[in-house]
Amino acid sequence: MGGVIALIAILMVLLSGLSSGLVNDGVSGLKGMPATHIAFNQGTKTDNAFSRSVVDPSQAEAWSTQPGVEEVTLMGSAMMNAVTDDGTQIDLSLFGIDTGSFLAPAVGEGRGIEAVNEIVVSPTTQDEGVKIGSVVTLDRLDVALTVVGYTEDQATFGHVGMAYLPLDTWQLIASGQSQPGEPTEAAIAAVDFDTASSIAIKAENGMSLDLAAGDEAAGTVTSTLEGSFDASPGYTAETLTLEMIQVFLYAICALVVGAFFTVWTIQRKHELAVLRAVGASTGYLLRDGIFQAVVILALSTATGLAAGLGMGAWMSGTAMPFALEAGPISIAAALTILMGVLGAAAAIVRISRVDPLTALGGQR
């Protein structure tokens, strides 16, 4: 019984790690942003709003006048294919930002953006051969951008490494009027294109924004930063799938443990009848049975947890999106024990029907 429970605990750890890894790989760039809310243009389909939405400076200005708003800035986003200067093909998620705003990324290696042709990329792009000093050329547009730094933490969006660049440069690229080669300030000034994909909003500390009033004034639809994760490609489908798998695994845990304790209770029927015959109360027998179940579940889950963490540590060093996070793993372990106890409790209830006469040969 303990071995089966330990195997279930291992599966819980691995599923939690896969779930956390997929979330990080899909929206770690958004999770690391200091914004509290993201606004998209009104009427934008929400399943991939970062790519579909188009907002303008007037909408950002309308949001900046709302009570409780500390800072507002436009943000552009687009998925692009590119090639490095050594011929390696890569995918990048371009995020255009005001480099002087609160969205400027923390740099872990290299330096921040100082020119219109520079980008700061996620450290995960190193696995694809992107180095500081590499020149990345966007497909079809032939726009050349120089990597000057890596973000402090993983920054990915839609399972693609993010590249932060000046909003003006992003607008030049999005306008379709860019020229081959490195973008210049003169080329940017010549383009009449001031729209972006979304509006990043930072609320004052402790302030709650009236999203309905802000959306009405700006013609937008706004959600919290965490709520905006659903607007990234594939995020909702991936998380729901893994959550459903975990739910079924919890149910299996309860059924398996319940089945084991049902057999165990049947096997101990005569011993339990003896205890009843010598005066043990039904409540005592139930408490004793639950206590034994908790001990077995706790020890087995701890063993499986240790084994799962060991396997997870090995998997974290592979290309698989896997991340060990204390919160989800602790919840998974607690739910494994809880569902096991519930399954055991349902099985052990039959103790209350044990007849003490059985111990005295009453069945004959």
Side-chain angles (χ1 to χ4, degrees), residues 229-242:
F229 296 170
D230 291 332
S232 63
Y235 175 82
T236 302
E238 289 172 354
T239 53
L240 286 178
T241 299
L242 283 171

Side-chain angles (χ1 to χ4, degrees), residues 35 175 190 272:
S175 70
L272 294 172

Side-chain angles (χ1 to χ4, degrees), residues 66-334:
Q66 296 301 306
V69 174
E70 179 179 333
E71 191 173 349
V72 169
T73 184
L74 291 173
M75 179 173 65
S77 57
M79 295 281 192
M80 300 290 291
N81 301 118
V83 60
T84 62
D85 44 11
D86 63 359
T88 303
Q89 294 180 337
I90 61 172
D91 298 318
L92 287 176
S93 183
L94 301 183
F95 268 69
I97 60 168
D98 180 351
T99 55
S101 72
F102 66 93
L103 288 184
V107 177
E109 185 179 349
R111 60 174 176 82
I113 301 167
E114 297 176 358
V116 295
N117 66 318
E118 295 178 345
I119 56 175
V120 170
V121 299
S122 170
T124 55
T125 59
Q126 296 181 70
D127 297 334
E128 300 179 85
V130 178
K131 304 174 183 178
I132 294 177
S134 295
V135 176
V136 176
T137 303
L138 304 181
D139 285 355
R140 295 183 296 277
L141 301 175
D142 291 331
V143 173
L145 303 169
T146 302
V147 178
V148 296
Y150 298 121
T151 57
E152 192 171 48
D153 300 308
Q154 176 183 351
T156 49
F157 178 78
H159 305 289
V160 175
M162 288 175 60
Y164 289 93
L165 71 164
L167 180 60
D168 291 342
T169 306
W170 182 91
Q171 290 170 334
L172 172 66
I173 294 169
S175 70
Q177 302 175 41
S178 58
Q179 299 297 319
E182 294 186 347
T184 63
E185 294 189 7
I188 290 172
V191 174
D192 184 17
F193 190 91
D194 61 357
T195 61
S197 303
S198 57
I199 303 170
I201 303 167
K202 184 179 181 182
E204 296 176 359
N205 287 335
M207 294 296 293
S208 179
L209 303 185
D210 187 342
L211 300 185
D215 285 337
E216 183 178 357
T220 57
V221 55
T222 306
S223 64
T224 62
L225 179 65
E226 186 174 351
S228 72
F229 296 170
D230 291 332
S232 63
Y235 175 82
T236 302
E238 289 172 354
T239 53
L240 286 178
T241 299
L242 283 171
E243 287 173 3
M244 186 60 66
I245 293 173
Q246 287 178 307
V247 167
F248 278 113
L249 194 53
Y250 291 134
I252 290 170
C253 178
L255 291 172
V256 168
V257 174
F260 273 128
F261 274 97
T262 296
V263 175
W264 192 8
T265 303
I266 293 172
Q267 289 177 334
R268 297 167 62 220
K269 183 177 180 181
H270 293 291
E271 288 80 0
L272 294 172
V274 170
L275 290 173
R276 288 291 304 278
V278 298
S281 66
T282 300
Y284 170 80
L285 295 178
L286 290 173
R287 289 193 300 273
D288 178 66
I290 291 293
F291 176 74
Q292 292 182 55
V294 170
V295 170
I296 292 174
L297 283 163
L299 292 176
S300 302
T301 300
T303 302
L305 188 64
L309 290 174
M311 295 175 65
W314 172 77
M315 293 172 67
S316 296
T318 66
M320 184 184 302
F322 190 93
L324 293 173
E325 296 183 355
I329 291 174
S330 299
I331 292 172

